[in-house]
């Protein structure tokens, strides 16, 4: 490797880039990249194949694209092809140790035929096909077109208290999903975590034949093994200078260090997707692995965990129906306009300090729907704490570009074009979450101001996104005087840095040579008081 390349690689791996991964795939005809990480892509396919109950289908899914990071391209009739599997007999079979109890020959067959249209029953192909969770091309998920390999709980989000409860239910759902995916994986493959090791391929040059490349590769860069309840898979990457580990499994929370990321299954395999239209509906989507979770279960689990909440005159089932927008009451909720049957008492202080509605100010007891009743009491309990609850949303991508160290190898990735799949949205949500976690840990200001992810061979500039369902401010919140009659419920002014402002800040940082720390300090002075009480 030349001196110049080495220098570029080292800078590429510097702290401001996170996490390190490899592009999952490109679109067949146009070769436009799908923004999703390779390891995540394989976990999504494997999760969908848990429903088959076949250890071979699941293991094959977890390994099927493992050579992608070797960056083997070959010119074809319709442009370059990204070669990423070998058809050489025994190549995968010999990677699988006897401690993993599968029919290794069948695993190999599934992998080697995952692009073969004649292999109709191929489990990887069937998940990646147009109805699967992976290929959905929409960048904004249209609720009616959610692919069949996903399941969903529908919630109605007309009003902030509904957001707050939906946020908690989403948290509960993710924990339930983490347990379910982990347990199902253990039943099928006797492990409950999958650990991917991105390792430097240490090859002198690029290759255009996968078997030549594999022959030149140090065998240590290609391993599959079991260690306790974890399955380890290495993913060799050409021109990667530093190893990086991404694990998916039965973890309690997303955790990161400089070179590793641990993602609970529930975080990796679910998404809160919005209709985008005026219906105010959202879906809590998750990859269909053969089990079903109901909204009633999630609400009940959530209520069981709650402590010290005043009496709510509704049942768990009422709350679930209300959250999904099907609860029929004789009255309308004073906060969201949905069906309500019971009056709820508001605290004196919250009334005078937080609401501007004449109705709220005059009556001490209001008709409130089951969702808002819980949401209101939750907020009463939580708003004094200085914790900033947020729902991480898929990060916005502002720019992608080919890394210079791949210039001479890859000629088809140009410009800023990319495609999104549902799985990609899930990954971008993880990116946002990683950013917010680093923000809370007061990480390196340069990373926070100019976040980039390496998804080799490209780098991705992104803007983290989140929704704050709970405000820590004494400012007036609801302006309801004209609301119920006009079906309009407006939260009082809420200010966070929006995407345009984020881009302006990034540009200022990139081009004006402002010190990162002083810029960050200034931003905090401007924005933070809005999130704190008083
Ligand atoms: Zn309501």
């Amino acid at each position: 490797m030349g001196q110049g390349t080495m220098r570029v690689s080292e800078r590429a791996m510097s702290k401001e880039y996170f996490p390190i991964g490899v592009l999952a795939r490109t679109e067949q005809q146009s070769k436009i990249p799908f923004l999703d990480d390779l390891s995540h892509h394989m976990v999504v396919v494997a999760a969908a194949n848990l429903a088959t109950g076949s250890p071979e289908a699941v293991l094959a899914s977890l390994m099927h694209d493992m050579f992608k990071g070797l960056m083997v391209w070959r010119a074809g009739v319709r442009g370059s092809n990204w070669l990423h599997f070998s058809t050489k007999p025994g190549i995968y079979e010999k990677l699988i140790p006897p401690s993993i109890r599968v029919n290794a020959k069948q695993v190999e067959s599934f992998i080697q035929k995952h692009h073969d249209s004649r292999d109709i029953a191929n489990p990887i192909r069937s998940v990646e096909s147009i109805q699967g969770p992976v290929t959905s091309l929409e960048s904004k998920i249209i609720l009616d077109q959610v692919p069949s390999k996903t399941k969903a709980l529908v919630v109605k989000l007309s009003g902030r208290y509904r957001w707050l409860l939906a946020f908690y239910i989403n948290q509960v759902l993710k924990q339930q999903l983490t347990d379910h995916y982990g347990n199902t994986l253990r039943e099928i493959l006797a492990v409950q975590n999958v650990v991917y090791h991105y390792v430097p391929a240490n090859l002198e040059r690029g290759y255009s034949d996968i078997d030549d490349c594999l022959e030149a590769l140090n065998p240590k860069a290609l391993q599959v093994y079991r260690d306790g309840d974890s399955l380890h898979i290495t993913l060799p990457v050409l021109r990667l200078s530093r190893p990086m580990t991404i694990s998916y499994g039965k973890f309690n929370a997303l955790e990161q260090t400089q070179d590793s990321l641990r993602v609970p299954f529930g975080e990796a395999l679910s998404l809160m997707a919005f209709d985008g239209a005026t219906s105010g509906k959202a879906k809590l989507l998750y990859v269909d692995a053969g089990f079903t979770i109901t909204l009633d279960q999630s609400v009940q689990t959530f209520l069981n965990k709650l402590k010290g909440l005043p009496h709510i005159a509704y049942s768990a089932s009422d709350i679930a129906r209300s959250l999904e927008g099907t609860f029929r009451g004789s009255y309308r909720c004073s906060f969201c306009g949905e069906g309500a049957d019971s009056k709820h008492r508001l605290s004196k202080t919250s009334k005078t300090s937080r609401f501007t509605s004449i109705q709220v100010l005059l009556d001490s007891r209001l008709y409130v729907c089951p969702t808002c009743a819980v949401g209101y009491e939750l907020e009463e309990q939580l708003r004094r704490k200085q914790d900033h609850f947020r729902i991480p949303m898929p990060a916005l991508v502002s720019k992608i570009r080919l890394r210079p160290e791949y210039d001479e190898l890859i000629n088809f990735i140009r410009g800023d074009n990319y495609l999104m799949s549902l799985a990609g949205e899930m990954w971008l949500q993880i990116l946002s979450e990683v950013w917010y976690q680093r923000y809370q840990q007061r990480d390196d200001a340069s990373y926070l101001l100019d976040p980039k992810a390496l998804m080799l061979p490209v780098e991705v500039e992104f803007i983290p996104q989140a929704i704050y369902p709970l405000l820590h401010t004494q400012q007036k919140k609801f302006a309801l005087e004209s609301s119920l009659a006009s079906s309009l419920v407006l939260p009082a002014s809420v200010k966070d840095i929006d995407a345009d402002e984020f881009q302006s800040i990034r540009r200022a940082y990139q081009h004006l040579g402002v010190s990162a720390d002083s810029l960050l300090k200034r931003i905090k002075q401007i924005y933070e008081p809005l999130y704190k009480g008083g």
Side-chain angles (χ1 to χ4, degrees), residues 502-516:
F502 195 96
Q503 272 306 81
S504 307
I505 290 165
R506 188 202 296 267
R507 274 195 296 273
Y509 173 64
Q510 282 177 340
H511 301 299
L512 299 178
V514 187
S515 120

Side-chain angles (χ1 to χ4, degrees), residues 251-272:
F251 310 124
N252 291 327
L254 188 132
E255 266 179 46
Q256 55 178 320
T257 65
Q258 175 117 358
D259 297 314
S260 77
L261 185 62
R262 276 173 33 154
V263 190
F265 278 132
E267 303 277 346
L269 299 167
S270 76
L271 184 71
M272 198 164 174

Side-chain angles (χ1 to χ4, degrees), residues 399-461:
K399 196 174 180 181
I400 76 162
R401 83 183 177 106
L402 186 68
R403 293 286 315 161
E405 59 268 37
Y406 296 101
D407 266 349
E408 91 276 17
L409 280 172
I410 300 163
N411 55 21
F412 60 87
I413 295 177
R414 292 180 214 95
D416 271 351
N417 290 335
Y418 64 93
L419 293 167
M420 281 309 304
S421 63
L422 196 53
E425 294 272 348
M426 291 174 184
W427 178 252
L428 290 181
Q429 177 180 269
I430 293 170
L431 268 190
S432 273
E433 228 173 310
V434 165
W435 187 92
Y436 279 101
Q437 216 176 63
R438 289 195 156 197
Y439 174 78
Q440 264 190 327
Q441 291 160 358
R442 299 176 188 283
D443 196 0
D444 189 19
S446 63
Y447 172 82
L448 297 176
L449 292 171
D450 189 17
K452 296 188 192 84
L454 276 186
M455 222 176 270
L456 299 173
V458 300
E459 66 178 48
V460 180
E461 279 187 10

